[in-house]
Amino acid sequence: VYNHFGPDGNYLPAYAPAFFAADAHSPWGAAIDFAQPAVRGFFTANALYWLLEYRFDGLRLDAVHAISDPGWLDEMAAAVRAATAGRHVHLILENEHNAAAPLAGDFDAQWNDDAHNALHVLLTGEREGYYAPCAGRATELFARCLGEGFGWQGEPFPGRDGHARGTPSAHLPPSAFVFFLQNHDQIGNRALGERLLALCAQAGRLEAWRAALAVQLLCPQVPLLFMGDELGSTTPFLFFTDFHDELAEAVREGRRREFAQFAAFADPERRAAIPDPNAGTTFESSRPQPGDPEDAARVATLLRLRNTLLAPRLAGTRALGSAALGPAALRARWRLGDGTMLTIYTNLADMPVELDFVPPAGSLLYESRDGAAAALARDDLAAAATTVWLSAGTVPDSP
């Protein structure tokens, strides 16, 4: 986390005020002044420290859009590559700006919030907060994420006064995008910390969640499992802190005020029930516990398929496009490094979709529910189902 210091126990402003920019602020307070050579050098040395002294496999850089001088990122990454030559070191970004340029340089991949947000809307129907920009176009955005990377690639972004967000990303390999169904931000920032699996179970949409899981773990993009996903866990992951006195009270009340804008928490009594971030029970109840063994086995099966049949072919993979086939249905294709074609059909809706083309030839790699492949042979996308196919030969002209 190189974009800010925490609100408690940070005495750096007292003895090194020049470390911060006097005229710039971040969401967490005074912005760190990356224009200062000493500041740049400090953070570059810190990155090298973890990689060289502790032999970490890589770094995930938090919210780099909040770093005041993005030029430092390229400088740091070049220093890392020079110091770790011969090693496979992962450099991963979180970048709200959806900038493709760093991913064509020394950085390996970026967490793709667009894919998560669109998929979450398709599975839950939620349209508040950061899901609002996806309302009415979630299928289109999710298809674009699978086929091109970012959902927004320079178009005006809702909620930003029409300002553009993102840059074109279709030229980047699928490995430049980290695809997750959930992570610590999306779960922990919810009032009650519900996992996506728990939300889908409550809504009777377990099969849709299983279909989405198959897309995540069998598409060529980099899959990220949140802790507990491998267990089929439905344990909440709540927002917890370890603050005291006035700061603890400010965080507790501030969090409850934050959710006043959401319909589910408009009632003050409902907001009062939001767990206290500083309570020990909030932390303890967030430890992942095993869920349904069948869901844990499903994750293991998908990872085994990925490891044995896809991973050896992923180098040199390129996307061949994607298309929406229904209100929550799509098809995406990739040419793998050995020339094999990977095709995924998914329908996250609770109703089947009738198709009007010949289904793919080749071998069925996986179906998320029994009968989904047979339905596709009858020109139907089964409800809440994913099928994954491997085939050789030329790309057909039909969808």
Side-chain angles (χ1 to χ4, degrees), residues 343-346 364 366-368 372-373 376 381 385-389:
T343 305
I344 294 179
Y345 291 89
T346 190
L364 175 67
Y366 184 81
E367 59 179 353
S368 67
L376 190 59
L381 283 181
T386 291
T387 59
V388 184
W389 304 79

Side-chain angles (χ1 to χ4, degrees), residues 235-254:
T235 308
F237 182 75
L238 298 163
F239 183 92
F240 54 82
T241 56
D242 188 24
F243 298 140
H244 306 280
D245 305 323
E246 293 88 353
L247 181 57
E249 180 64 20
V251 170
R252 180 187 305 113
E253 294 308 313

